[in-house]
Amino acid sequence: MSRRRRTGTSSRRRASRAKGRPAWRTPLRTAALVALAFGAGWLTHVAWPAPLRPSADAAVEGVAPVSVRIDRFDQAGGGIEVAPADGGADTLLVVYTGARVRPHAYTWIGAALAPVGVRTLIPTFPLDLAVLDRDRAATLVRRMGQDEARVMLAGHSLGGAMAAAHLEAAPDTADALVLMGAYPGRGVDLSTRDLPVLALAAERDGLATLQEVQGGMARLPDRAGIEVIDGAVHAFFGRYGMQRGDGTPTVPRAVAEAEIAGALEAFVGGMR
């Protein structure tokens, strides 16, 4: 009998404590757990990026796959190399990736330019952020250059800003600069440099707007040119899919890519 009375008392105490618990604690605890899980997932994604897939989505209309060699390299921090299959390249292009974008998103650019004698290196960056190693180009040229007649440095979005910043600090790294949906940061001034520069601006870009790219031309040499890709958006420079803020395109990706490739090929040709 006494045992049953103690059990009943204990149950009543638990019920009393539960009854007196504030109603907001349970949903708050649930929200905290959800936030913690989300944060852990985001941290995992940042710390361990998706695997590098060198040949992923590298097809370019009019370019035979057998004419292009695509490999992964491990020197100087690693990345992707795209080159003419016959080895006949006279131009080295180093491409700095956009923020949180894997290098293989830009393999298509290397594939498009390989037939005109361009070897392309697309390095991986810590956490896929060029800002964490903006001087990588100098190391790549020094360790992986093959006596090409000229070196070009290109960058998309944040990668473009970092490419411009690198050339301000180390002008001997490259003979030319290409900015894709990008412009020099306000603390970077290349206006007095004798440097060929091509700025590719997406007309419908919502992240590096046409007005911002045009405004950045004041910090580039007088000989710098700008090419506006009609109807294109920020994400059309790399094959990583659409992201929030990219803008709304009015042309198919394939049309924009053909215009981008044509502008790059003409720029390379103009340097020969």
Side-chain angles (χ1 to χ4, degrees):
M1 293 294 292
S2 60
R3 183 175 302 170
R4 285 197 295 272
R5 282 197 297 270
R6 285 197 295 269
T7 302
T9 300
S10 177
S11 298
R12 285 194 298 274
R13 286 175 179 170
R14 286 197 299 269
S16 177
R17 285 197 296 268
K19 188 175 181 180
R21 185 179 299 146
W24 49 264
R25 282 191 179 178
T26 298
L28 182 60
R29 182 178 299 170
T30 301
L33 290 173
V34 170
L36 182 62
F38 178 82
W42 179 85
L43 183 61
T44 299
H45 172 72
V46 169
W48 292 278
L52 194 62
R53 298 177 291 126
S55 299
D57 201 16
V60 175
E61 187 174 355
V63 177
V66 295
S67 68
V68 181
R69 176 178 59 82
I70 302 174
D71 291 315
R72 176 173 180 164
F73 66 85
D74 296 319
Q75 308 98 296
I80 295 173
E81 178 184 24
V82 189
D86 61 8
D90 64 2
T91 300
L92 176 64
L93 172 65
V94 178
V95 178
Y96 278 14
T97 62
R100 302 295 304 139
V101 180
R102 297 260 68 196
H104 49 250
Y106 303 93
T107 303
W108 78 272
I109 292 176
L113 295 178
V116 296
V118 177
R119 182 167 69 99
T120 301
L121 300 177
I122 314 167
T124 57
F125 289 99
L127 304 183
D128 288 329
L129 294 170
V131 69
L132 298 180
D133 191 3
R134 75 173 195 184
D135 298 324
R136 177 72 65 80
T139 304
L140 286 169
V141 173
R142 184 175 64 253
R143 295 181 58 181
M144 297 190 65
Q146 297 179 354
D147 297 323
E148 285 89 357
R150 65 199 60 82
V151 176
M152 297 171 53
L153 179 58
H156 174 222
S157 194
L158 177 64
M162 292 302 100
H166 171 69
L167 285 186
E168 183 188 47
D172 294 336
T173 297
D175 304 300
L177 173 66
V178 177
L179 301 174
M180 300 181 290
Y183 48 89
R186 294 192 179 277
V188 175
D189 189 353
L190 299 172
S191 61
T192 61
R193 303 294 173 83
D194 183 20
L195 180 72
V197 179
L198 172 63
L200 295 176
E203 181 192 20
R204 308 279 295 178
D205 198 325
L207 296 177
T209 66
L210 179 56
Q211 292 74 21
E212 289 173 323
V213 174
Q214 290 171 331
M217 298 297 289
R219 298 188 293 279
L220 295 174
D222 289 340
R223 64 188 296 187
I226 183 170
E227 190 87 21
V228 180
I229 311 301
D230 294 334
V233 297
H234 198 70
F236 279 6
F237 293 104
R239 293 179 176 177
Y240 55 86
M242 298 293 288
Q243 293 182 347
R244 184 177 181 180
D246 279 333
T248 303
T250 57
V251 297
R253 174 182 285 272
V255 171
E257 286 186 348
E259 192 171 345
I260 292 167
L264 290 171
E265 184 175 341
F267 186 62
V268 171
M271 294 184 62
R272 290 184 169 132

